[in-house]
């Protein structure tokens, strides 16, 4: 029985340790995602790896059929992998599950299936090739680092058991491959070197497990920010709404990964998410559940209301009410220049938003958007802030959608300057109610609808102010005092909002992505009174707190400020276009964007510039992707030239040789000579058949019978017969399969 086991081991020793190494690598990966070794998933891995090795053995005997079968199986697994990964959420759920080590997203069985049809097959192919087909220690060790890289990414500890098994299997593969070429005691030096390597490896593993290590990887954050940063808002990716706002560090570490292309009449800010409550201890914002809850039923009422809030229609309503009641204008302080205004100059705009293979659970809208095809098509749910949230997990990463909106600046300043927003909390309710009553009495339903939309919007804004009033206790006293000083003597909302914005824009504040405040001083007060340097989140937070202290209705917003492109009307949104800014409710105007951040769109340079900084390293992921594609194409061409074309050529030659005629002998002779020339050089082409046979003997190959038959058929005029051909072809085939080693090395190992 023992002899039988030994015989079985000798027969399969070439495959045993690569198989075990592959199993150790794949099970260590599954263990990183909470799939223990003793589970059904390990059984599935064993079956898949065993099946892969059986396929590889089949490919060694039947190269063409095996290669075709391998490609077919590979393509099938690839398509199934993409189906499993992209099912339902366009791959976002799997990517977050994979990159977080199953800690941020609940595990689904399809995620394990996706791992099952990818890693075992891939690692089987790599380990088999570099251990059985072409032994290369360095490449084999590199493949063993794949699980280590995954553990580093998910910030988890890899079990020492896996490390020991992987090291041990590498050692065993080394011994087997060394033994294949070791024929006498002269190879003992190689064995000694190997023993030293094993000893050093084991000692290193023991020391690594015994030496105390700090809990944090001190350089990993740097590595993450440069290469793997994906989003803002508490670690969420750009396809998800955040549980809280981003902070200055988040905005520093943004890449320039393309997210959207936008065709629009002008460069506008796109809202992503609103936040309502400030938490001073954490220096960030959180959404209120009431305002972040989404419903399909909100889209119609909220967006139709926004569509009715036209400044031109409001101007017509004021004029008509003043005509119907001569005392109306005096009663509410309507300026003569407003009544004399022919038009506000209000314009409507359209935008087409094209995701760059970027599925997201939110849709982009501007502050005065009144229509979105996502809502019109029933794909979006809407919050009370009019944020668009995907009804079915995610919007497609390839589906374009349109938006219609009121252009903000064509009428904004003129409306304010002429008194269109000169209202206070004391008289605005009465102003709207009286105007509505006058228009209703005149049966002007169109203008009544406009006024009623402003009434409903104002009521919602006042409710929001009441809901967030308790959070004013988080406003630092020095911030509140400054806000009251800046707005002292001002009556109207738009005056106060502009004064606070001007404080940041005209002061000594600087936009600085590289600046990091001292520890324990990352506060709004330190930013406003001491450093006066920071990112858009610092500016937006300080403005929002100051505006609330001054009595304004305001909310903190995160969205995107697009980049210009060389094509007119085309703007590009990248990850580093992320921007934080406040939205302020101005009576008789609605919600408007204000911009405290210096050198940004609504001030000087249109955009939150400088966001490409990755701690001193800038990575253009679009260019990187193109480079990867170019390298892949070049690699494909190289494979085609050096492997596939010669492979097909050999098949074609074999078909010609199988005819067994004179041309077959000539072709076999040429191929023998070409193979020998790789070792002997061009002198082979000047040799006679006899000299060629002697040269082949130096490499341990006997092709004498074939060369004799070649001479008789080609030069002697003998007729080819089946027996002669089969004998010659067998000798030729054996020679072509022979690995030509240097004669000195052959004699040494003889």
């Amino acid at each position: 029985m023992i002899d039988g086991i030994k015989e079985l081991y000798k027969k399969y020793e070439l495959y045993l340790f690569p198989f075990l190494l592959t199993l150790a690598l794949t099970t260590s990966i599954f263990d990183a995602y909470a799939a223990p070794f003793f589970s059904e998933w390990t059984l599935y891995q064993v079956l898949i790896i065993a099946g892969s090795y059986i396929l590889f053995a089949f490919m060694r005997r039947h190269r063409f059929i095996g290669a075709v079968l391998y490609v077919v199986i590979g393509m099938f697994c690839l398509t199934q992998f993409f189906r499993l990964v992209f099912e339902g959420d366009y791959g976002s759920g799997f990517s977050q599950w994979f990159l977080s080590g199953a800690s941020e997203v609940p595990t689904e069985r399809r995620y394990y299936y996706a791992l099952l049809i990818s890693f075992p097959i891939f690692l089987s192919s790599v380990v088999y090739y570099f251990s059985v087909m072409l032994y290369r220690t360095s490449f084999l060790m590199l493949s063993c680092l794949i699980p280590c890289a995954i553990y580093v990414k998910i910030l988890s500890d890899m079990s020492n058991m896996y490390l020991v098994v992987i090291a041990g299997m590498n050692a065993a593969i080394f011994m087997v491959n060394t033994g294949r070429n070791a024929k006498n005691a002269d190879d003992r030096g190689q064995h000694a070197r190997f023993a030293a390597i094993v000893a050093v490896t084991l000692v290193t593993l023991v020391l690594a497990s015994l030496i105390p290590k700090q809990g944090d990887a001190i350089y990993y954050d740097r590595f993450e920010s440069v290469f793997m940063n994906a989003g803002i808002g508490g670690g969420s990716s750009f396809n998800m709404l955040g549980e809280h706002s981003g902070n200055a560090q988040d905005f520093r570490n943004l890449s320039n990964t393309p997210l959207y292309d936008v065709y629009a009449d002008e460069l506008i800010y796109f809202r992503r998410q609103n936040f309502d409550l400030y938490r001073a201890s954490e220096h960030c914002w959180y959404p209120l559940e009431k305002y972040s809850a989404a419903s399909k039923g909100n889209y119609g009422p909220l967006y139709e209301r926004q569509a009715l809030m036209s400044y031109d229609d409001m101007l017509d309503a004021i004029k008509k009410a003043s005509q119907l009641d001569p005392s109306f204008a005096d009663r509410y302080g309507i300026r003569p220049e407003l009544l004399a205004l022919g038009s506000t100059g209000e314009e409507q705009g359209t935008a087409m938003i094209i995701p760059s293979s970027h599925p997201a659970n939110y849709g982009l809208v501007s502050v005065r958007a009144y229509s979105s095809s996502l809502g019109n098509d029933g794909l979006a749910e809407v919050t009370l802030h009019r944020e668009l949230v995907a009804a079915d997990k995610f919007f497609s990463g390839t589906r374009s959608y349109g938006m219609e909106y009121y252009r903000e600046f064509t009428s904004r300043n003129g409306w304010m300057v002429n008194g269109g927003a000169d209202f206070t909390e004391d008289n605005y309710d009465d102003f709207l109610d009286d105007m509505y009553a006058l228009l209703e009495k005149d049966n002007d339903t169109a203008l009544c609808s406009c006024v009623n939309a402003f009434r409903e919007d104002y009521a919602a804004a006042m409710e929001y102010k009441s809901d967030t009033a308790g959070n004013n206790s988080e406003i630092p006293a020095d911030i509140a005092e400054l806000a009251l000083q800046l707005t002292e003597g001002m009556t109207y909302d738009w005056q106060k909002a502009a004064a606070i914005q001007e404080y940041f824009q005209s002061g000594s504040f600087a936009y600085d992505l590289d600046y990091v405040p001292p520890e324990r001083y990352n506060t709004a007060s330190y930013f406003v009174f001491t450093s006066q340097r920071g990112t858009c989140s610092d500016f937006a937070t300080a403005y929002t707190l100051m505006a609330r202290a001054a009595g304004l209705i305001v909310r903190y917003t995160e969205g995107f400020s697009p980049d210009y492109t060389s094509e007119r009307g085309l703007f590009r949104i990248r990850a580093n276009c992320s921007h934080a800014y406040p939205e302020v409710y101005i009576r008789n105007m609605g919600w408007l964007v204000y911009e405290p951040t210096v050198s940004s769109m609504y001030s000087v340079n249109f955009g939150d510039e400088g966001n490409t900084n990755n701690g001193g390293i800038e990575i253009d992921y679009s260019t990187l992707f193109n480079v990867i594609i170019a390298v892949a194409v070049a690699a494909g061409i190289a494979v085609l030239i050096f492997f596939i074309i010669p492979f097909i050529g050999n098949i074609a030659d074999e078909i010609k040789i199988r005819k067994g005629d004179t041309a077959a002998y000539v072709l076999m002779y040429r191929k023998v000579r070409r193979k020998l020339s790789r070792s002997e050089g061009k002198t082979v082409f000047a040799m006679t058949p006899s000299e060629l046979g002697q040269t082949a003997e130096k490499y341990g190959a006997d092709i004498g019978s074939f060369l004799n038959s070649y001479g008789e058929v080609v030069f002697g005029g003998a007729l080819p017969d089946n027996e002669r051909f089969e004998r010659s072809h067998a000798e030729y085939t054996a020679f072509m399969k022979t690995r030509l080693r240097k004669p000195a090395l052959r004699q040494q190992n003889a």
Side-chain angles (χ1 to χ4, degrees):
M1 182 177 177
I2 296 177
D3 291 338
I5 294 174
K6 288 183 178 180
E7 198 65 34
L8 190 65
Y9 169 75
K10 287 182 179 180
K11 185 176 180 180
Y12 294 106
E13 69 170 342
L14 196 61
Y15 305 98
L16 176 62
F17 297 116
F19 172 86
L20 294 176
L21 174 60
T22 307
L23 183 61
L25 294 175
T26 59
T27 52
S28 67
I29 292 173
F30 272 75
D31 187 60
Y33 297 95
F37 182 81
F38 295 102
S39 67
E40 60 178 306
W41 302 109
T42 302
L43 176 60
Y44 296 152
Q45 292 171 68
V46 170
L47 294 176
I48 291 176
I49 296 171
S52 299
Y53 275 76
I54 292 172
L55 174 61
F56 300 150
F58 178 81
M59 289 174 63
R60 295 191 73 179
R61 296 192 300 271
H62 309 281
R63 292 187 179 181
F64 179 73
I65 298 175
V68 171
L69 191 59
Y70 181 81
V71 170
V72 170
I73 293 174
M75 292 302 296
F76 172 78
C77 290
L78 188 63
T79 56
Q80 292 303 305
F81 173 81
F82 283 115
R83 182 185 68 80
L84 291 167
V85 166
F86 288 92
E87 181 180 315
D89 56 9
Y90 304 98
S92 176
F94 177 82
S95 64
Q96 291 186 72
W97 176 83
F98 183 77
L99 295 175
S100 67
S103 63
E104 290 189 5
V105 176
T107 299
E108 298 182 24
R109 285 186 68 86
R110 65 185 177 95
Y111 296 162
Y112 283 137
Y113 286 129
L115 294 183
L116 202 59
I117 61 175
S118 54
F119 280 106
I121 296 174
F122 170 73
L123 289 172
S124 293
S125 302
V126 173
V127 171
Y128 178 85
Y129 185 81
F130 289 117
S131 61
V132 178
M133 296 295 294
L134 182 67
Y135 180 60
R136 292 291 184 271
T137 308
S138 56
F139 289 108
L140 193 61
M141 291 299 293
L142 282 174
S143 67
C144 295
L145 292 178
I146 293 175
C148 299
I150 292 175
Y151 275 90
V152 169
K153 175 66 189 89
I154 65 176
L155 295 178
S156 181
D157 294 326
M158 190 173 182
S159 170
N160 286 336
M161 178 193 72
Y162 288 116
L163 293 173
V164 171
V165 172
I166 291 171
M169 291 304 102
N170 273 279
I173 292 171
F174 182 90
M175 292 180 65
V176 170
N177 279 277
T178 302
R180 291 167 65 186
N181 297 321
K183 301 299 182 181
N184 57 31
D186 291 335
D187 287 314
R188 280 179 292 188
Q190 292 184 355
H191 290 299
R193 287 194 296 274
F194 168 70
I197 292 172
V198 172
V200 170
T201 301
L202 292 176
V203 170
T204 302
L205 289 172
V206 171
L207 290 176
S209 62
L210 294 178
I211 295 175
K213 296 174 283 292
Q214 64 184 66
D216 298 327
I218 59 175
Y219 295 110
Y220 185 76
D221 289 340
R222 175 73 169 172
F223 172 80
E224 180 83 7
S225 69
V226 173
F227 294 104
M228 297 184 180
N229 190 273
I232 59 177
S236 64
S237 67
F238 278 108
N239 60 356
M240 298 288 289
L241 294 174
E243 296 179 359
H244 58 77
S245 67
N247 54 36
Q249 183 64 34
D250 294 324
F251 283 93
R252 290 186 194 103
N253 294 329
L254 297 175
S255 72
N256 54 358
T257 304
L259 302 180
Y260 301 93
D261 281 346
V262 178
Y263 287 91
D265 303 320
E266 60 181 343
L267 194 153
I268 52 178
Y269 280 3
F270 287 95
R271 179 201 300 146
R272 177 173 175 261
Q273 186 174 9
N274 290 115
F275 296 92
D276 313 302
L277 302 179
Y278 178 68
R279 192 172 296 172
S281 60
E282 299 175 14
H283 192 41
C284 67
W285 294 82
Y286 288 82
L288 264 174
E289 176 64 25
K290 174 180 177 178
Y291 293 93
S292 61
S295 167
K296 278 190 177 181
N298 284 339
Y299 176 76
L302 294 180
Y303 276 77
E304 288 171 9
R305 185 173 77 196
Q306 184 65 46
L308 292 169
M309 292 177 63
S310 163
Y311 297 162
D312 276 339
D313 289 346
M314 175 54 77
L315 176 61
D316 291 341
I318 293 173
K319 287 180 178 181
K320 190 163 188 178
S322 300
Q323 293 170 358
L324 294 172
D325 181 357
S327 65
F328 179 81
D330 291 335
R331 189 161 64 249
Y332 295 105
I334 306 299
R335 296 187 199 173
E337 53 262 44
L338 183 64
L339 296 174
L341 199 63
S343 169
T344 65
E346 184 174 61
E347 296 178 0
Q348 296 174 339
T350 60
M352 178 59 68
I353 301 160
I354 305 172
S356 302
S357 299
H358 174 67
N361 75 337
Y362 60 86
L364 301 184
V365 288
S366 67
V367 68
R368 294 196 68 207
Y370 59 81
S371 177
S372 171
S373 60
L374 293 176
N376 296 336
D377 296 342
L379 301 175
E381 297 180 342
V382 179
T383 69
L384 292 180
H385 287 317
R386 295 191 302 112
E387 300 157 310
L388 297 176
V389 182
D392 185 20
K393 291 187 179 180
F394 292 90
F395 297 118
S396 169
T398 57
R399 186 189 190 279
S400 303
Y401 55 94
M403 180 191 75
E404 296 178 275
Y405 64 99
Y406 289 115
R407 298 178 68 172
E408 214 179 326
F409 291 102
T410 55
S411 57
R412 171 171 169 168
N413 293 331
W415 184 246
M416 291 178 179
V417 169
N418 287 292
D422 287 357
F423 298 96
T424 66
E425 187 172 346
D426 295 333
N427 69 353
Y428 189 55
D429 264 328
D430 294 337
F431 162 76
L432 292 174
D433 291 341
D434 285 356
M435 184 164 48
Y436 184 84
L438 290 169
L439 296 172
E440 185 179 39
K441 187 176 181 180
D442 195 53
N443 294 320
D444 195 331
T445 55
L447 292 181
C448 277
S449 297
C450 170
V451 174
N452 192 56
F454 276 89
R455 283 204 306 182
E456 291 178 356
D457 202 52
Y458 179 57
M462 292 301 291
E463 183 178 355
Y464 178 73
K465 183 178 182 180
S466 174
D467 290 338
T468 57
N471 190 235
N472 289 347
S473 60
E474 295 283 327
I475 302 175
D478 51 359
I479 292 280
E481 183 179 353
L482 175 62
L484 294 175
Q485 291 174 4
L486 292 174
T487 59
E488 186 177 3
M490 296 179 182
T491 304
Y492 306 118
D493 296 341
W494 64 272
Q495 293 174 323
K496 297 176 182 179
I500 298 173
Q501 175 177 274
E502 183 65 17
Y503 171 75
F504 291 102
Q505 292 290 343
S506 62
S508 57
F509 288 88
Y511 182 89
D512 190 346
L513 277 168
D514 295 324
Y515 176 76
V516 179
E519 191 175 355
R520 299 191 308 276
Y521 288 98
N522 186 24
T523 64
S525 294
Y526 188 83
F527 166 72
V528 172
F529 298 104
T530 306
S531 71
Q532 297 191 334
R533 308 180 72 82
T535 66
C536 56
S537 63
D538 295 311
F539 284 92
T541 292
Y543 183 101
T544 305
L545 295 176
M546 291 171 68
R548 286 188 175 180
L552 298 178
I553 307 171
V554 59
R555 59 198 183 199
Y556 178 97
T557 306
E558 286 183 351
F560 298 101
S561 169
D563 289 333
Y564 283 103
T565 68
S566 58
E567 182 178 340
R568 183 177 178 83
L570 172 63
F571 304 92
R572 183 152 294 134
I573 294 178
R574 304 177 186 274
N576 58 25
C577 292
S578 285
H579 187 45
Y581 54 91
E583 290 179 352
V584 183
Y585 185 85
I586 303 298
R587 289 178 176 84
N588 217 36
M589 294 188 74
W591 290 97
L592 300 177
V593 169
Y594 277 81
E595 183 51 274
T597 305
V598 296
S599 297
S600 54
M601 172 184 161
Y602 289 164
S603 53
V604 182
N605 289 330
F606 293 92
D608 203 11
E609 295 189 1
N611 270 2
T612 58
N613 185 283
N614 270 322
I617 300 177
E618 181 176 334
I619 301 173
D620 186 339
Y621 287 97
S622 178
T623 302
L624 180 61
F625 175 76
N626 292 332
V627 169
I628 292 173
I629 294 297
V631 171
V633 170
I637 294 174
V639 170
L640 181 68
I641 294 174
F642 294 106
F643 295 98
I644 297 179
I645 292 178
F647 180 73
I648 295 175
N650 288 334
I651 293 175
D653 289 344
E654 187 63 26
I655 293 173
K656 294 178 182 177
I657 290 171
R658 276 295 176 182
K659 294 180 179 179
D661 54 10
T662 302
Y665 281 92
V666 173
L667 182 57
M668 285 190 290
Y669 182 79
R670 288 176 177 172
K671 290 176 75 69
V672 167
R673 190 169 58 179
R674 190 181 304 125
K675 180 171 182 175
L676 280 172
S677 70
R678 295 170 188 164
S679 299
E680 293 291 321
K682 294 183 178 180
T683 57
V684 169
F685 295 104
M687 293 180 181
T688 64
S690 176
E691 293 171 334
L692 202 66
Q694 294 173 4
T695 302
E697 286 180 359
K698 293 195 303 181
Y699 294 93
D702 183 7
I703 54 174
S705 177
F706 159 67
L707 292 174
N708 289 336
S709 298
Y710 166 76
E712 292 171 358
V713 172
V714 176
F715 301 109
L719 295 176
D721 59 78
N722 289 337
E723 183 179 350
R724 183 199 302 272
F725 173 75
E726 292 297 334
R727 186 172 61 253
S728 299
H729 185 263
E731 204 168 82
Y732 156 80
T733 302
F735 172 77
M736 295 302 291
K737 291 182 178 180
T738 300
R739 181 182 176 185
L740 300 184
R741 290 181 293 167
K742 293 293 183 181
L745 183 60
R746 269 196 68 255
Q747 293 171 6
Q748 179 183 349
N749 293 331

